[in-house]
Amino acid sequence: MSPAMVMSAKKKQNDNLESQYQKGVKHLCENGINKVPKKYILPVSDRPNMKDRELINVNKQNLKLPIIDFAELQGSNRPQVLKSLANACEQYGFFQLVNHGIPSDVISNMIDVSTRFFELPFEDRAKYMSSDMQSPVRYGTSFNQNKDDVFCWRDFLKLMCNPISDVVPHWPSSPVDLRRLVATYAKETKYLFLMIMVSILESLGLVGTTENKTEEDGILKDFEDGSQLMIVNCYPPCPEPNLTLGMPPHSDYGFLTLLLQDEVEGLQIQHQDKWVTVEPIANAFVVNVGDHLEIFSNGKYKSVLHRVSVNSKKSRISVASLHSLPFNYMVRPSPKLVNEENPRGYKDTDFSSFLEYISSCEPKRKNFLESRKLC
């Protein structure tokens, strides 16, 4: 065989492999594998349990995040809980929300229908594959499969949720109860987000007083009309979990993310220069500060790097509900949080700037937010 023919055969083989990887890790596992393909193997410095250039390692002790009791936040103990909320957003960028009022059957139904979607035949899931990041429904794999050099051990279903009456007809029609159950869950989490944002704005000193009432109504109306993106994640069992990650270190772009997890551990956050695993609490939400809230608070509340580890025994399902202002709105530091002692630290930004950024490069860590900072 001539060198040209050898090269041609090798290219064809690589193209075939790349085509298989684009179909997702669930499809890969369904066809049977006992080793992690090269496409998913991280450089040694980026692997879990390995020290990297910043000397970050995994703390073997699980992290108990601050717990915010939503019921107490609505009661006479509100001032004290607001202080705890502010501390959580400043010191951790994350907290667990309990007694949130969303019925347990709404939560269990969301996990159940998500699991059943990923159990559908590949052909049924593949109908929703799209490279259009503004599509109302998108099934895909990895973090950004069009740009990632190394793929993540993760498949996802992304659903735009606002305006819900317009987008639901575009959502998957199978399982047959998916649209109904996810729409119910989306409405519940949107209302919960609005209630949490009232508390966060109050903790920042921006609402809650008589003179701020008109401004408060305006801000809340903007959030009511704002964006909501639901990301359903599936992390299948991995034969060599020490070689890869379900999600690389990243921060979320919006104001707040409400994360629902099943009982399988996987979420890790960077805390005090170490990677620590977040201990799941049944029926609780893990809530984290997004890049937009860091900008809006002028750096008082900070988005935090987090990643997802995988395991060799159990599949993991999580549902992230990302909330922000409407896509066409500019996000900027609140004028009330900018003064001589705390000068403005961030440029204006909007969702189109974020899409343009992640479409042009492989997103890493908090690079997008760093690009928004003023020198």
Side-chain angles (χ1 to χ4, degrees):
M1 189 180 288
S2 70
M5 291 175 70
V6 169
M7 289 292 289
S8 176
K10 191 170 183 180
K11 183 180 183 303
K12 186 175 181 181
Q13 182 184 27
N14 288 339
D15 288 347
N16 287 339
L17 284 173
E18 188 65 30
S19 173
Q20 289 301 308
Y21 301 146
Q22 290 289 339
K23 292 178 180 178
V25 70
K26 187 82 164 57
H27 180 69
L28 205 63
C29 293
E30 287 166 350
N31 288 333
I33 54 168
N34 52 26
K35 289 180 71 68
V36 171
K38 187 177 178 182
K39 182 70 175 176
Y40 296 86
I41 297 178
L42 289 164
V44 173
S45 60
D46 293 339
R47 294 176 193 171
N49 303 313
M50 296 287 184
K51 290 186 177 181
D52 66 12
R53 291 180 297 278
E54 297 167 324
L55 300 179
I56 297 170
N57 59 11
V58 174
N59 184 342
K60 292 181 180 175
Q61 298 301 314
N62 284 1
L63 177 68
K64 287 186 167 62
L65 288 175
I67 294 176
I68 301 298
D69 189 318
F70 185 74
E72 285 200 10
L73 196 54
Q74 309 308 309
S76 58
N77 203 26
R78 183 176 180 85
Q80 186 56 47
V81 182
L82 283 173
K83 288 179 183 176
S84 299
L85 178 64
N87 182 67
C89 291
E90 286 182 37
Q91 301 299 321
Y92 292 83
F94 275 80
F95 57 89
Q96 300 242 37
L97 189 73
V98 299
N99 295 328
H100 43 70
I102 296 182
S104 58
D105 64 319
V106 172
I107 287 176
S108 60
N109 286 341
M110 185 67 215
I111 292 290
D112 176 64
V113 77
S114 300
T115 303
R116 285 186 283 123
F117 173 81
F118 286 105
E119 288 173 348
L120 293 172
F122 170 72
E123 292 72 23
D124 291 342
R125 304 194 304 266
K127 294 175 188 174
Y128 304 99
M129 281 189 163
S130 170
S131 58
D132 178 7
M133 292 197 171
Q134 300 193 53
S135 172
V137 56
R138 188 159 70 94
Y139 177 69
T141 192
S142 192
F143 191 66
N144 181 354
Q145 68 197 84
N146 299 317
K147 296 291 178 183
D148 295 344
D149 292 327
V150 178
F151 270 21
C152 304
W153 202 263
R154 166 228 192 196
D155 290 347
F156 62 79
L157 176 68
K158 293 188 177 182
L159 303 169
M160 295 286 190
C161 298
N162 196 39
I164 199 150
S165 57
D166 292 350
V167 295
V168 167
H170 298 278
W171 290 358
S173 55
S174 184
V176 293
D177 52 354
L178 182 144
R179 292 177 179 176
R180 175 176 60 83
L181 296 177
V182 176
T184 299
Y185 179 82
K187 291 172 185 174
E188 292 277 3
T189 49
K190 180 62 176 272
Y191 178 74
L192 182 59
F193 159 74
L194 293 171
M195 298 294 285
I196 301 169
M197 275 310 304
V198 170
S199 301
I200 283 182
L201 293 171
E202 188 173 341
S203 74
L204 288 167
L206 299 177
V207 301
T209 60
T210 306
E211 59 268 26
N212 286 344
K213 186 64 179 148
T214 304
E215 183 180 352
E216 177 179 342
D217 291 342
I219 293 174
L220 294 177
K221 181 68 170 66
D222 290 340
F223 282 121
E224 201 172 310
D225 298 334
S227 63
Q228 179 181 8
L229 175 65
M230 190 92 67
I231 307 177
V232 186
N233 301 297
C234 176
Y235 306 97
C238 176
E240 298 172 290
N242 60 315
L243 299 180
T244 189
L245 283 168
M247 286 277 274
H250 67 284
S251 59
D252 295 343
Y253 72 85
F255 266 76
L256 288 179
T257 298
L258 278 62
L259 180 75
L260 174 64
Q261 311 180 79
D262 60 15
E263 76 285 354
V264 182
E265 290 180 355
L267 175 65
Q268 296 178 335
I269 73 170
Q270 195 181 85
H271 181 63
Q272 297 178 348
D273 291 334
K274 292 178 180 174
W275 286 108
V276 286
T277 300
V278 173
E279 197 171 302
I281 297 177
N283 284 329
F285 285 98
V286 176
V287 182
N288 65 279
V289 172
D291 292 346
H292 287 177
L293 181 51
E294 177 170 334
I295 292 170
F296 180 78
S297 69
N298 202 32
K300 183 175 174 67
Y301 295 166
K302 296 200 184 307
S303 64
V304 170
L305 283 176
H306 50 289
R307 69 183 190 183
V308 177
S309 64
V310 290
N311 71 84
S312 60
K313 302 192 185 312
K314 286 186 176 181
S315 183
R316 177 173 179 266
I317 293 288
S318 70
V319 183
S321 186
L322 284 74
H323 300 263
S324 192
L325 293 169
F327 288 141
N328 60 340
Y329 273 43
M330 280 290 176
V331 178
R332 55 178 60 93
S334 169
K336 292 188 176 180
L337 299 175
V338 176
N339 52 46
E340 196 173 328
E341 290 182 2
N342 301 290
R344 179 174 176 148
Y346 302 85
K347 306 173 190 174
D348 291 1
T349 191
D350 60 6
F351 186 67
S352 63
S353 302
F354 174 74
L355 282 184
E356 185 179 336
Y357 181 88
I358 63 171
S359 298
S360 63
C361 64
E362 183 179 357
K364 294 180 179 177
R365 297 184 172 260
K366 291 178 67 171
N367 283 8
F368 174 71
L369 184 64
E370 294 299 321
S371 75
R372 300 289 95 193
K373 286 185 177 179
L374 295 169
C375 295

